[in-house]
Amino acid sequence: LQGDWSSDVCSSDLAERWLIQASARNAASSSPSPLPDLALARVYLALGKAPLALAQAQRSLSYQPTAEGHFLSGAAHYELNHLDLAEQSFSDCLEMNPDYYLAKGGIGQVQASRGQYKLAARSFEAVLEKEPGNVQAKENLARLQRFLR
């Protein structure tokens, strides 16, 4: 199964350097925002740097819990094969925003990794109910079909 945690992120070194500087300036402010750390977490996921993505997502959550922060934390945990923590983070995301369909897909990926293919299929179908054209959910569902026969 595949995950695309990048979703339209520029993965250049320049963007990464700029976001590192923005995150550092943000951390030094009297009321830090989660946004620079969320953006940097996305870049790190796109670059395959899951440990750094996790650190940035958790840092953003320490400033202000957001559905996005929980989702990115879940994505990083999934990439690190921390399935229980990934599932919990995706569930926390859905608790904050029940319409965050990407978190439902993340739970589906966790379920598929555990061999819970019927549950995973239902999760991907739930994504497709919200976004019928979601290519990733369609592909993941198609991959599961060989296990569901």
Side-chain angles (χ1 to χ4, degrees), residues 22 51 54 63 68-69 73 80 95 103 107 121 124 133 138 141 148:
L54 179 58
Y63 297 145
E68 174 94 2
S73 178
L80 294 167
E95 190 173 306
I107 288 174
F124 297 133
K138 285 181 181 180
L141 193 55
L148 296 173

Side-chain angles (χ1 to χ4, degrees), residues 110-126:
V110 168
Q111 292 164 330
S113 294
R114 290 180 175 149
Q116 301 168 322
Y117 303 121
K118 287 182 183 179
L119 290 174
R122 281 189 240 146
S123 294
F124 297 133
E125 288 164 354

Side-chain angles (χ1 to χ4, degrees), residues 87-142:
E87 184 175 35
Q88 183 59 56
S89 294
F90 290 136
S91 294
D92 291 344
C93 173
L94 289 169
E95 190 173 306
M96 291 190 84
N97 181 354
D99 293 326
Y100 205 112
Y101 65 88
L102 293 175
K104 291 178 186 179
I107 288 174
Q109 289 181 286
V110 168
Q111 292 164 330
S113 294
R114 290 180 175 149
Q116 301 168 322
Y117 303 121
K118 287 182 183 179
L119 290 174
R122 281 189 240 146
S123 294
F124 297 133
E125 288 164 354
V127 171
L128 291 171
E129 286 175 20
K130 293 285 185 183
E131 187 183 338
N134 186 295
V135 174
Q136 184 179 338
K138 285 181 181 180
E139 290 174 356
N140 287 337
L141 193 55

Side-chain angles (χ1 to χ4, degrees), residues 39-76:
L40 191 52
R42 278 206 177 272
V43 168
Y44 283 144
L45 281 169
L47 296 174
K49 298 178 179 181
L52 295 174
L54 179 58
Q56 292 306 135
Q58 290 178 333
R59 185 177 188 180
S60 79
L61 289 168
S62 74
Y63 297 145
Q64 177 184 346
T66 63
E68 174 94 2
H70 287 297
F71 172 76
L72 293 171
S73 178

